Each structure stands twice: as C-alpha cells, then as structure tokens.
Amino acid sequence: MLIDNGIELVEQRQEANQSSSSPPEDKSAHTNGQPATPQPATTQDGGLFAWLQVFGVFFCWFNSWGLTNAFGVFQTYYQDNLLHSSTPSQISWIGSFQSFLLIAVGVLSGPAYDAGFFKPLLWCGSFLVVFGYFMTSLCKEYWQVMLAQGLVIGVGTGCLFVPSVSILPQYFVKRRALANGIAASGSSFGGVIYPIIVHRLIPRIGFGWTVRVVAFIALATQAVPILVLKVKVQAPKRRLLFDVKAFKEPPFFLFTLALFLALMALYIPTFYVQSFALTKGLTSPELAAYILPILNSAGVVGRVLPNFFADKTGPLNLLTPCIAATAILAFAWISVTNEGGLIAFALVYGFFSGTILSLPPVAVVSLCPNLGVVATRLGTSFALASLGLLIGTPISGAILSDTQQFTGLQAFAGAILLASAGLLLVARLSRTGFVFSVKA
C-alpha cells in the first residue's frame, strides 16, 4: 500500500526540479554515479486504461487494508458470541496478526514483484483472501479462526500489498498523487462497507453465511484488478530486503521507532470503540454498529488531504503534529460520556489517524540520501515497525481484561502516540536543527 507510493511521489518532485533547473544530462539525474531510473516516455496522465488501473488498485486496497479496518466488528461479535470464552486480548491477536502479515508479507513479496511475478502475487492474494473467509465461516474454535482469518487472510492481503502500490506510478506523473489518493481511499471504503454488511446480515442469515457473503464480495471485486491491472515497466533490478546500516543514522532510527509506536496504538480505537460504546451504554446497539464505519469514513479524507499539504510543508513537519493530535484524541476518548461525543471522537480520530498510514512512506523517502536505497530502506523501516501492529491491540486487550475498565486501554493508546510524536520531533530536529521554517 505504501512503499512504492512514497518512492514515486518523491521521484515526481525530483523530476520536476530537474526539468526546471538542469539539462537532461546533468549529474543531478544520477545517484552515486549510477543513472536514475528514467520515467518511461510512454507515461501519460490519464486515458481510459490508466484510470482503469486506478479502479483496479482501488479494490486491492478495499480487500486488504479495508478488511483490516473492518476487524473491529468481528472483535465485538467474537467477544459476545463465537469466542466468548476467550479474552479480548486473545481475540485481538487475530486481527493484529492479520494486519502484521499485511505489511510483513508485503515487504517480503517486493522482490517477487521485482522478479516479474506480479500476476501470480495478484492471483495468490485474491485466492487466499476469499478462501480464508470461506474457511472462517466454518470455524467454531479460536485456533481455527486464528488460522483462517489471521494467517490465511493475512498472507493474502500481504500478497495484494505490492500490486496496490506499484502499478499507478507507471501510468501517472502530474496526476500521480490524485490517482494514488483515489485508489487508497478503497481502504476506508472497505472499512465502512464490510462492518455494515456484517452487522446487518448476522441477525438475518447467521455468522456463517454472513462471512460467506463477505467472501463472495471479495471474489467479485478482486475480479476487477485481475482483469485490468497490467505492469507497464518491469523493475530494472532486484533490491535488498534490509539495510541494517541505515540505523546508524539518527533521523532514520528515530523515525522507525516512532512509526513502531504509532502502529502499536493505531488500531486500539478501531478494535474497541464499538465494544466501548455498548459496554458504557452510550448508544443503541444499532448505532454502535455504525461507529466503526463512521471512523473509517473520516479516514477517506485523512488519507488524501494531509498528503496534499505535506507536499508543501514536508512530511515530517505535518506528520508530527498529526500524530500529536491523535494522541490528544486518544486521551480525550476517556472523557466521552454521550452519543454525540462518541460520534465526534470517531470522526476526528478517523481523520488524523489516517495520516499514520498515508504520510510515513514519503517521510522515509525524505530521510534517504538517494533514490538508490529508497526501496530497501522503506522495507527495512516498515518490516520492523509492523511489529507494533502485532502487539499493540493484544496488549490493550490484556489491560482491558485485567482492569475491566477502558480507561487503562485509552491511556495506553494516548501515551504511546504521544511518545511517537515526541520521537518524530526529535528525528526532525536531528535532521534540520531548530530551524522550523525548513521543509522536512
């Protein structure tokens, strides 16, 4: 979802700077003495086939991050019904493992994409997502759900990760940010539509057939990218997976640690806000089921609008206050005592938390010394930061189980996000000093 998006956005800016300030053969077009990958002469902004790529990538997001964003509705159902004998922490391991694999497998599948296995990745990911939900519909025990929804679907979404970020930069230059923003909104749309479907259908047709409906929707929508997506330019060479030496650079090390903390706290409200509303009796069960879609709907704007301004201010300059605002909102969640406050929290948190996924790729690229190491450093940063996704919600679930109160869970999320914002500020200062007018 993230890596090549960030690479290409920065390449676009550098191409624009080069075209206005240097001739075609200027040394600025080279990196460490090696020619930078040129933009294909056939790349055009728009056209029917190019916008079909946007349409196809939209559904890759819809069925990867969109399904991850929808896990909160399963968390609530499992706690009250299918897995009621399991603790909230144990149940949240299912969703956290799925989201961890989305990034971890996505990083590992990057070299497979570079080697020309784009279509096999797309077919494999589509099959595993659909198959995983069909198997989930048959599950009766915790370990079965973990294997089907956690492992199988997690690996499937990870295989869709690379196609969802690698295609569009080959078809757009000037409209690249717009095209990526439209496609990325599929994750928020999935986080809106899937929870509503699950909530509305379970009372009518039961859990098994409801999950099968989700599988059929994924099957139908994944037919679109399978039919229309096409690699236009093959990667010129394979890349390394990890760059351990990058951690010797303080800005990169601090940023990766900050991202780890941000991802640790990101999905705590997403997983528990519906359960919070029902437990506290803040709203009716009917409206409580729509709190998660409301939160995810605000993420549509939060994934597009901040990126527009980040192009002018610099990603670190915008990401730092956005995560700080998210931390404040997590603490403010403690004081929510009525329906209006709950809806307001969901909307504002959904907007600001969207930047935690949309801005880091560009921020990582801005910390790279040259474009030749971008892919490897993005993979390194996100592979380690994804561990935060794995452990964050289970820890918060354990806090909830031990205290039987949401206050500890909410304070934990706020403290982790505040620490993340602090580390980002230090990373920014270590890069540019105390000159706040500098784009960073």
Side-chain angles (χ1 to χ4, degrees), residues 304-377:
V304 178
L305 187 61
N307 279 47
F308 173 79
F309 289 105
D311 196 34
K312 298 173 173 58
T313 66
L316 285 177
N317 285 340
L318 190 60
L319 182 61
T320 303
C322 283
I323 291 185
T326 308
I328 294 171
L329 288 166
F331 284 120
W333 184 20
I334 299 174
S335 64
V336 172
T337 57
N338 55 55
E339 185 177 282
L342 181 66
I343 294 173
F345 164 76
L347 284 171
V348 184
Y349 181 87
F351 173 83
F352 282 104
S353 64
T355 62
I356 297 177
L357 293 178
S358 63
L359 287 177
V362 184
V364 172
V365 177
S366 72
L367 296 174
C368 293
N370 57 71
L371 290 178
V373 299
V374 165
T376 299
R377 290 202 174 190

Side-chain angles (χ1 to χ4, degrees), residues 214-269:
V214 171
F216 280 121
I217 293 173
L219 175 64
T221 51
Q222 277 305 116
V224 176
I226 287 174
L227 290 174
V228 304
L229 293 187
K230 181 180 179 181
V231 175
K232 195 174 185 180
V233 180
Q234 190 61 50
K237 63 179 181 179
R238 301 181 184 183
R239 60 178 173 85
L240 298 175
L241 283 178
F242 299 101
D243 182 10
V244 179
K245 294 181 180 178
F247 291 111
K248 295 181 179 180
E249 301 173 16
F252 182 83
F253 171 75
L254 291 168
F255 174 85
T256 300
L257 184 57
L259 183 59
F260 166 81
L261 294 176
L263 292 179
M264 182 186 295
L266 172 63
Y267 281 112
I268 293 175

Side-chain angles (χ1 to χ4, degrees), residues 404-415:
Q404 297 299 311
Q405 296 289 332
F406 284 89
T407 304
L409 174 153
Q410 294 160 326
F412 172 73

Side-chain angles (χ1 to χ4, degrees), residues 55-399:
F55 189 53
V57 172
F58 174 92
F59 286 112
C60 284
W61 285 80
F62 185 82
N63 290 310
S64 55
W65 283 104
L67 290 171
T68 300
N69 289 338
F71 184 79
V73 71
F74 289 99
Q75 174 84 25
T76 302
Y77 177 80
Y78 291 155
Q79 287 180 203
D80 297 337
N81 297 277
L82 184 65
L83 303 177
H84 60 86
S85 60
S86 300
T87 66
S89 177
Q90 291 171 329
I91 294 171
S92 65
W93 273 109
I94 300 169
S96 65
F97 188 49
Q98 181 190 101
S99 57
F100 164 74
L101 289 175
L102 196 162
I103 292 183
V105 174
V107 171
L108 295 174
S109 62
Y113 173 86
D114 292 341
F117 293 100
F118 165 70
K119 281 293 185 180
L121 283 172
L122 192 58
W123 276 98
C124 181
S126 301
F127 169 78
L128 289 175
V129 168
V130 174
F131 177 73
Y133 272 109
F134 276 124
M135 293 299 100
T136 302
S137 71
L138 304 174
C139 293
K140 303 296 182 183
E141 304 291 338
Y142 175 84
W143 66 269
Q144 296 172 335
V145 180
M146 174 61 82
L147 287 177
Q149 193 169 6
L151 178 62
V152 177
I153 296 174
V155 173
T157 57
C159 291
L160 297 179
F161 176 95
V162 171
S164 69
V165 298
S166 303
I167 294 295
L168 296 185
Q170 302 178 10
Y171 288 87
F172 294 89
V173 178
K174 294 180 180 179
R175 298 180 182 177
R176 189 174 291 161
L178 174 63
N180 281 321
I182 294 172
S185 67
S187 62
S188 293
F189 277 102
V192 171
I193 293 172
Y194 281 125
I196 294 175
I197 290 173
V198 172
H199 168 70
R200 301 292 294 181
L201 291 185
I202 284 180
R204 292 172 171 79
I205 61 177
F207 175 78
W209 271 107
T210 296
V211 177
R212 290 177 200 123
V213 168
V214 171
F216 280 121
I217 293 173
L219 175 64
T221 51
Q222 277 305 116
V224 176
I226 287 174
L227 290 174
V228 304
L229 293 187
K230 181 180 179 181
V231 175
K232 195 174 185 180
V233 180
Q234 190 61 50
K237 63 179 181 179
R238 301 181 184 183
R239 60 178 173 85
L240 298 175
L241 283 178
F242 299 101
D243 182 10
V244 179
K245 294 181 180 178
F247 291 111
K248 295 181 179 180
E249 301 173 16
F252 182 83
F253 171 75
L254 291 168
F255 174 85
T256 300
L257 184 57
L259 183 59
F260 166 81
L261 294 176
L263 292 179
M264 182 186 295
L266 172 63
Y267 281 112
I268 293 175
T270 304
F271 278 31
Y272 292 104
V273 68
Q274 184 175 338
S275 177
F276 168 79
L278 292 172
T279 303
K280 294 291 186 179
L282 302 183
T283 185
S284 66
E286 184 67 20
L287 181 58
Y290 288 91
I291 296 300
L292 181 58
I294 289 172
L295 188 153
N296 285 320
S297 66
V300 175
V301 183
R303 281 167 170 78
V304 178
L305 187 61
N307 279 47
F308 173 79
F309 289 105
D311 196 34
K312 298 173 173 58
T313 66
L316 285 177
N317 285 340
L318 190 60
L319 182 61
T320 303
C322 283
I323 291 185
T326 308
I328 294 171
L329 288 166
F331 284 120
W333 184 20
I334 299 174
S335 64
V336 172
T337 57
N338 55 55
E339 185 177 282
L342 181 66
I343 294 173
F345 164 76
L347 284 171
V348 184
Y349 181 87
F351 173 83
F352 282 104
S353 64
T355 62
I356 297 177
L357 293 178
S358 63
L359 287 177
V362 184
V364 172
V365 177
S366 72
L367 296 174
C368 293
N370 57 71
L371 290 178
V373 299
V374 165
T376 299
R377 290 202 174 190
L378 278 164
T380 302
S381 181
F382 277 93
L384 296 178
S386 66
L387 294 173
L389 287 172
L390 181 64
I391 65 175
T393 51
I395 291 175
S396 60
I399 294 173

